[in-house]
């Protein structure tokens, strides 16, 4: 699989691919709000597992799974390990000592280095938030034609210029990755060096100029084609109907998000003194599950 | 090779998913790493500033057991009031503002919980114990004033409730005068169950002394108020140790001055006296380490020395008396850590032999036994035949491992029935009447070595 194929939406036949662009974007925004709002570790874990299940539903290829696994692992373990070592809130319970405070030089410098129980969980929560967004982002990226997203943004009355710039930016990343790969291959062939990390590192300083030149050339072509096709002309575009099933599902999801955010706000207000007795069960539910 | 690396990434992702499932659930893996005692239930009460272990004014919390539904009402330094069921599940929680909750009492039917705070307004709250709804509140600022600019906050320091659910509070504010001298504004106030003010003592002024404690006797129709001002000043209007008031009108019936012992200037009581359940007797211990047993008429029946000040190597040492209770088995008194009278933060060459102890005397004043704990007796609570003690810090021995926790003592012979160890000092305790459920609040502390021990959490322990 080429670098470009890896990051671009592929042609395929699955449930996610057939969804309307608006539905995809709406689900993405909703999950983003939920990931930020929810603090309960088990609920966040379930949300994360749900996004992975969506990848199974979309029949994501094994190669893409491998790439996603590396990215998810980096985020999750990076967050957990760093928080476990440098957790600064209280209470914090050291469960393992890496450097004793009495250890020569390093001990007095660091006051001891410990793994904190609460830090692991705190790191897991932060890592899960990032992973949910990464997983959902890749799902939409891999299962959407950029034109679908552009139509969705236009249907929501976003200015054509802004919508176009957003989608172009989205498409530009895989193009950039492919261009960089091509430039490195060309440099490697010219210098007759072997394949490997060493040769990539050696050629990296010389990648910028040719890459910039190629990008400018592409941008010029893109600008000419946009103008020649009259993309920004203020004419009425054909309205695409949002399928009823998808629309009602999105309404249900919106309700879930509203209830979640609302109960969280009510709970936080109760902590600040705005306590209402008959909302007690909502407070309990929020504390236990959100 | 690429396939193998990708395969490894997928396997690691699967194990990471399993690990996340494990640590985000109830069955966390911490027990594999720690040797912490996990007896009972623990509930975290939120982040608070962690105090130095040797500090005099230390982290507090208040707790009361509600027998009607086997629940616990817990008040914190964060101004939050919680209700937990017997298993530690939160039933309700309400934030009462920015103050520290410093005292708590339940109405006789346990339908209302009265909570006193220290804050710029010093509120007394009456909260519905079933729902957490506010029923009424009263600002002690109206009684003793406030000067937030110089951090002189009013505080409702103690609450007592009579059989008709009238509430009696002691409100107090510490003053630092411009010439550097210290002063006090104190007042006693009675409220009906619906929050109407019955009376105030004094009616049109404030007491120029520190008032820390009060109790009510229904049979004698009397409220006793103890004062805590260590220094007396010329012209002081309320220099006596105890004032006895009519519980219906708030009029002064009589007052009592207890004799002073060297090196103290005044006899002060900070955590007592308390009436017996029939209201006929009164027990209290003073900061100079003496115990007093009185009748409701204010007549001292006998006095005993628990931990009188001693001069060692030129320094006066003492272990202050704190509690005084009359129970069917006799009269109970407690003492706290050994302190240097010159300055409470200074070290002491030896420990006072009477410190950190619980004493029992019979009603004639005969010594029955003494139970010595490893840390200070922060609070005691009684069940049938049992006394539960919150064991806090020992600022002299710095014994972090053995001292802290809660203990149950058999009242008849002073034998230790059970010990529930905790990492940090236990600052408050209560026990159910059958002695089966014990609730305690643990506080975090920074040791002189810079290590943080314990956490701000509520424990529920079961006995038998």
């Amino acid at each position: 699989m080429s670098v470009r194929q890896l990051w671009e939406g592929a042609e395929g036949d699955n449930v996610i691919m057939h969804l309307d662009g608006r539905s995809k974007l709406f689900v993405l925004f909703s999950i983003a709000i939920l990931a930020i709002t929810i603090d309960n570790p088990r609920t966040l874990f379930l949300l994360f597992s749900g996004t992975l299940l969506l990848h199974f539903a979309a029949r994501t290829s094994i190669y893409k799974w491998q790439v996603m696994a590396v990215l998810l692992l980096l985020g999750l373990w990076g967050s957990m390990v760093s928080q476990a070592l440098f957790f600064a809130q209280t209470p914090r319970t050291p469960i393992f000592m890496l450097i004793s405070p009495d250890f020569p030089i390093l001990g007095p410098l660091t006051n001891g280095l410990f793994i904190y129980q609460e830090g692991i969980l705190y790191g897991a929560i932060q890592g899960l938030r990032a992973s949910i967004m990464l997983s959902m982002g890749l799902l939409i990226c891999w299962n959407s034609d950029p034109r679908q997203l552009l139509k969705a943004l236009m249907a929501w009355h976003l200015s054509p210029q802004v919508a176009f710039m957003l989608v172009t930016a989205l498409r530009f990343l895989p193009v950039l990755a492919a261009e960089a790969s091509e430039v490195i291959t060309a440099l490697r062939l010219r210098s007759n060096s072997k394949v490997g990390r060493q040769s990539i590192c050696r050629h990296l300083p010389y990648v910028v100029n040719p890459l910039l030149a190629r990008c400018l050339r592409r941008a010029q072509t893109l600008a000419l084609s946009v103008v020649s096709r009259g993309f920004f002309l203020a004419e009425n575009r054909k309205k695409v109907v949002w399928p009823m099933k998808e629309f009602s599902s999105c309404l249900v999801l919106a309700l879930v998000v509203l209830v979640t955010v609302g109960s969280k706000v009510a709970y936080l207000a109760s902590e600040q003194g705005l306590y209402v007795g008959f909302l007690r069960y909502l407070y309990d539910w929020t504390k236990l599950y959100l | 090779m690429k396939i193998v690396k990708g395969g490894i990434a997928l396997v690691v992702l699967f194990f990471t998913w399993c690990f996340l499932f494990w640590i985000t659930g109830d069955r966390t893996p911490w027990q594999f790493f720690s040797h912490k005692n996990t007896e009972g239930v623990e509930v975290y009460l939120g982040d608070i500033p962690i105090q130095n272990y040797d500090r005099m004014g230390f982290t507090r919390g208040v707790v009361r057991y509600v027998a009607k539904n086997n629940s616990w009402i817990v008040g914190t330094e964060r101004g939050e009031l919680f209700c937990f069921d017997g298993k530690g599940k939160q039933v309700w929680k309400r934030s009462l503002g920015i103050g520290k909750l410093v005292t708590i009492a339940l109405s006789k039917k346990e339908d209302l919980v009265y909570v006193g705070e220290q804050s710029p307004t010093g509120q007394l709250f009456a909260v519905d114990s079933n729902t957490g709804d506010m029923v009424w509140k009263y600002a002690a600022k109206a009684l003793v004033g406030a000067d937030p600019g110089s951090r002189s906050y009013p505080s409702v320091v103690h609450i007592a409730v009579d059989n008709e659910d009238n509430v009696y509070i002691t409100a107090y504010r510490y003053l630092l005068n411009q010439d550097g001298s210290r002063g006090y504004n104190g007042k006693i106030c009675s409220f009906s169950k619906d929050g109407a003010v019955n009376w105030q003592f004094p009616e049109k002024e404030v007491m120029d002394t520190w008032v820390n404690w009060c109790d009510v006797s229904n049979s004698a129709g009397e409220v006793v108020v103890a004062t805590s001002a260590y220094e007396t000043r010329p012209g002081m209007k309320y220099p006596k140790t105890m004032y006895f008031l009519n519980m219906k009108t708030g009029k002064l019936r009589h007052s009592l001055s207890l004799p002073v012992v060297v090196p103290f200037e005044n006899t002060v009581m900070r955590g007592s006296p308390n009436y017996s359940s029939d209201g006929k007797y009164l027990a209290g211990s003073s900061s100079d380490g003496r115990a007093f047993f009185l009748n409701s008429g204010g007549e001292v029946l006998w006095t005993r020395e628990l931990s009188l000040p001693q001069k060692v190597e030129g320094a006066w040492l003492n272990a202050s008396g704190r509690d005084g209770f009359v129970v069917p088995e006799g009269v109970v008194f407690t003492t706290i850590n050994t302190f240097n009278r010159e300055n409470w933060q200074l070290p002491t060459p030896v420990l006072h032999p009477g410190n950190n102890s619980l004493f029992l005397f019979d009603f004639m004043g005969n010594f029955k036994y003494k139970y010595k704990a490893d840390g200070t007796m922060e609070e005691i609570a009684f069940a049938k035949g049992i006394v539960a003690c919150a064991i806090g810090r020992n600022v002299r021995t710095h014994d972090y491992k053995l001292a802290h926790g809660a203990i149950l003592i058999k009242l008849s012979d002073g034998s230790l029935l059970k010990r529930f160890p905790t990492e940090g000092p236990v600052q408050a305790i209560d026990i159910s009447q059958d002695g089966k459920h014990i609730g305690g609040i643990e506080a975090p502390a920074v040791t002189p070595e810079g290590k943080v021990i314990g956490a701000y959490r509520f424990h529920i322990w079961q006995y038998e």
Side-chain angles (χ1 to χ4, degrees):
Chain A
M1 187 178 271
S2 72
V3 177
R4 190 162 173 172
Q5 277 174 318
L6 176 66
W7 297 111
E8 265 190 351
E11 293 295 327
D13 186 26
N14 62 55
V15 189
I16 314 285
M17 188 71 87
H18 290 300
L19 288 177
D20 189 281
R22 282 166 288 192
S23 307
K24 290 179 189 176
L25 286 178
F26 189 84
V27 171
L28 187 66
F29 296 146
S30 302
I31 298 287
I33 293 169
L34 288 178
I36 295 165
T37 313
I38 295 169
D39 292 312
N40 183 285
R42 178 46 67 89
T43 313
L44 274 175
F45 170 78
L46 291 175
L47 197 60
F48 172 62
S49 303
T51 63
L52 293 185
L53 283 177
L54 287 175
H55 275 278
F56 282 113
R59 282 178 277 168
T60 301
S61 71
I62 189 78
Y63 185 64
K64 285 180 176 173
W65 264 105
Q66 288 168 353
V67 172
M68 186 170 71
V70 171
L71 295 174
L72 289 176
L73 287 172
L74 281 174
L76 278 167
W77 283 105
S79 171
M80 280 195 284
V81 171
S82 61
Q83 289 298 332
L85 289 175
F86 305 113
F87 186 69
Q89 295 174 26
T90 53
R92 53 178 191 177
T93 316
I95 51 175
F96 193 77
M97 185 170 66
L98 296 174
I99 299 173
S100 158
D102 306 325
F103 192 79
I105 303 169
L106 280 177
L109 271 177
T110 58
N111 277 331
L113 196 59
F114 303 90
I115 289 178
Y116 294 105
Q117 171 185 312
E118 290 81 4
I120 297 176
L121 196 59
Y122 184 77
I125 291 170
Q126 304 307 329
L128 278 170
R129 284 202 172 111
S131 301
I132 289 166
M133 290 317 301
L134 180 68
S135 171
M136 276 308 290
L138 288 177
L139 181 81
I140 301 298
C141 180
W142 285 338
N143 293 286
S144 306
D145 188 325
R147 279 169 297 184
Q148 238 182 352
L149 303 180
L150 181 66
K151 278 181 193 167
L153 292 171
M154 301 275 282
W156 281 338
H157 302 291
L158 196 71
S159 120
Q161 285 88 339
V162 177
F164 179 76
M165 289 305 291
L166 269 174
V167 176
T168 307
L170 203 69
R171 288 192 74 176
F172 182 70
L173 288 173
V175 171
L176 189 73
E179 295 280 6
S181 171
E182 273 178 36
V183 171
I184 285 175
T185 309
L187 286 169
R188 197 189 286 146
L189 288 171
R190 199 174 289 175
S191 64
N192 199 22
S193 57
K194 285 179 185 172
V195 179
R197 277 188 211 97
Q198 249 186 340
S199 82
I200 292 176
C201 293
R202 221 175 66 197
H203 292 122
L204 266 181
Y206 311 104
V207 166
V208 179
N209 281 346
L211 198 60
L212 196 64
R214 278 168 169 246
C215 287
L216 285 173
R217 214 174 298 139
R218 271 189 179 273
Q220 202 174 17
T221 315
L222 189 66
L224 280 173
S225 60
V226 166
V227 172
S228 62
R229 289 181 191 190
F231 187 78
F232 299 138
L233 286 181
E235 63 179 50
N236 285 336
R237 287 166 206 280
K238 195 182 167 189
K239 227 180 179 179
V240 185
V241 182
W242 196 344
M244 201 51 185
K245 257 188 185 173
E246 291 181 28
F247 181 69
S248 32
S249 304
C250 285
L251 275 183
V252 173
L253 184 62
L255 197 69
V256 171
V257 173
L258 272 178
V259 170
T260 307
V261 174
S263 48
K264 198 81 184 179
V265 169
Y267 179 72
L268 292 175
S270 81
E271 286 197 315
Q272 299 304 316
L274 290 169
Y275 181 91
V276 188
F278 73 87
L279 290 178
R280 208 179 75 208
Y281 293 105
L282 185 76
Y283 299 146
D284 287 352
W285 182 78
T286 308
K287 171 146 178 99
L288 288 173
Y289 302 111
L290 298 182
Chain B
M1 193 61 191
K2 263 188 179 177
I3 294 169
V4 175
K5 281 181 186 171
I8 290 170
L10 285 176
V11 171
V12 176
L13 180 66
F14 174 73
F15 282 113
T16 303
W17 184 87
C18 295
F19 178 70
L20 287 169
F21 176 77
W22 195 16
I23 65 163
T24 57
D26 292 332
R27 295 182 62 200
T28 47
W30 316 130
Q31 63 266 28
F32 292 106
F33 304 106
S34 89
H35 303 287
K36 201 172 72 179
N37 188 309
T38 52
E39 196 170 17
V41 178
E42 287 178 10
V43 186
Y44 182 55
L45 296 175
D47 290 338
I48 50 160
I50 302 177
Q51 311 279 13
N52 286 330
Y53 192 84
D54 292 345
R55 196 172 188 271
M56 267 303 292
F58 195 63
T59 307
R60 301 284 311 169
V62 288
V63 57
R64 283 295 174 271
Y65 178 74
V66 184
K68 67 172 183 181
N69 53 7
N70 181 30
S71 63
W72 297 91
I73 306 284
V74 176
T76 70
E77 286 224 332
R78 291 159 51 97
E80 291 169 339
L81 194 67
F82 295 86
C83 178
F84 298 111
D85 70 9
K87 291 177 180 171
K89 182 177 170 270
Q90 185 180 305
V91 180
W92 53 258
K93 170 189 174 184
R94 89 160 289 158
S95 175
L96 294 175
I98 56 169
K100 295 177 179 179
L101 304 186
V102 290
T103 181
I104 191 168
L106 285 168
S107 63
K108 291 296 165 192
K109 286 182 187 166
E110 298 185 329
D111 55 338
L112 284 183
V113 51
Y114 302 107
V115 190
E117 66 160 11
Q118 184 185 40
S119 74
T121 53
Q123 302 279 352
L124 166 70
F125 301 102
V127 176
D128 188 318
S129 66
N130 296 311
T131 61
D133 283 327
M134 181 80 70
V135 179
W136 55 267
K137 62 179 178 178
Y138 184 87
K141 182 183 172 183
L143 300 173
V144 294
D147 182 10
S150 53
R151 299 178 68 84
S152 173
Y153 297 149
S155 176
V156 176
V157 278
H158 188 68
I159 304 169
V161 181
D162 70 14
N163 286 346
E164 291 165 12
D165 272 340
N166 291 305
V167 185
Y168 305 87
I169 64 160
T170 49
Y172 148 84
R173 181 164 71 94
Y174 170 82
L175 311 167
L176 190 60
N177 300 321
Q178 283 188 336
D179 60 359
S181 64
R182 280 186 279 185
Y184 309 98
N185 280 0
K187 203 148 192 174
I188 321 305
C189 192
S190 166
F191 300 88
S192 64
K193 195 180 180 183
D194 56 7
V197 176
N198 293 330
W199 51 259
Q200 295 178 24
F201 176 82
E203 202 175 340
K204 289 177 180 162
E205 59 181 3
V206 290
M207 293 175 86
D208 54 355
T209 186
W210 179 355
V211 282
N212 220 50
W213 201 263
C214 70
D215 199 21
V216 60
S217 161
N218 293 286
S219 62
E222 202 162 69
V223 177
V224 61
V225 180
T227 64
S228 313
Y230 285 98
E231 303 95 3
T232 50
R233 299 180 302 279
M236 202 173 170
K237 199 170 176 187
Y238 296 91
K240 296 194 173 175
T241 312
M242 283 187 250
Y243 293 85
F244 295 83
L245 314 176
N246 182 313
M247 67 182 269
K248 298 284 181 198
T249 62
K251 299 290 178 201
L252 180 67
R253 280 184 173 174
H254 53 98
S255 56
L256 177 67
S257 274
L258 292 169
V260 179
V261 295
V262 180
F264 284 82
E265 276 183 41
N266 196 14
T267 301
V268 303
M269 288 188 177
R270 295 190 61 189
S272 51
N274 293 294
Y275 280 106
S276 56
S277 56
D278 60 8
K280 291 180 182 170
Y281 299 100
L282 199 55
S285 56
S286 56
S287 289
D288 52 47
R290 285 176 298 163
F292 299 92
F293 188 59
L294 305 93
N295 61 24
S296 58
E299 184 189 350
V300 179
L301 300 177
W302 48 261
T303 305
R304 296 291 178 268
E305 294 168 355
L306 307 175
S307 54
L308 272 189
Q310 303 291 325
K311 199 170 192 180
V312 181
E313 293 179 9
W316 282 101
L317 314 181
N318 82 297
S320 294
R322 185 199 294 267
D323 300 302
F325 289 98
V326 186
V327 291
E329 289 80 1
V331 193
V332 176
F333 302 100
T334 61
T335 55
I336 60 172
N337 284 176
T338 304
F339 289 104
N340 190 325
R341 179 73 188 113
E342 207 57 40
N343 184 324
W344 294 54
Q345 304 284 359
L346 289 173
T348 58
V350 291
L351 290 179
H352 196 296
N355 74 352
N356 302 330
S357 301
L358 180 138
F359 300 80
L360 185 87
F361 295 85
D362 68 13
F363 295 105
M364 303 307 292
N366 298 314
F367 175 75
K368 302 273 278 186
Y369 62 80
K370 175 176 105 170
Y371 180 90
K372 191 168 183 179
D374 295 312
T376 198
M377 291 275 179
E378 290 289 354
E379 190 177 13
I380 58 174
F382 296 92
K384 203 176 174 185
I386 298 173
V387 56
C389 311
I391 307 298
R393 300 164 295 156
N394 191 330
V395 296
R396 297 297 159 221
T397 62
H398 290 144
D399 186 348
Y400 310 128
K401 284 188 180 166
L402 278 175
H404 308 149
I407 56 170
L408 299 183
I409 298 169
K410 195 174 176 184
L411 268 169
S412 57
D413 60 6
S415 58
L416 179 69
L417 295 173
K418 182 78 180 168
R419 181 169 180 269
F420 303 102
T422 56
E423 195 186 353
V426 174
Q427 295 298 105
I429 199 162
D430 201 13
I431 185 168
S432 63
Q433 266 309 300
D434 59 7
K436 289 181 178 171
H437 313 285
I438 304 103
I441 297 175
E442 178 193 348
V446 182
T447 66
E449 299 83 37
K451 190 185 170 198
V452 174
I453 53 167
Y456 201 38
R457 53 194 163 202
F458 174 57
H459 294 262
I460 301 173
W461 298 289
Q462 309 296 332
Y463 175 63
E464 288 184 349

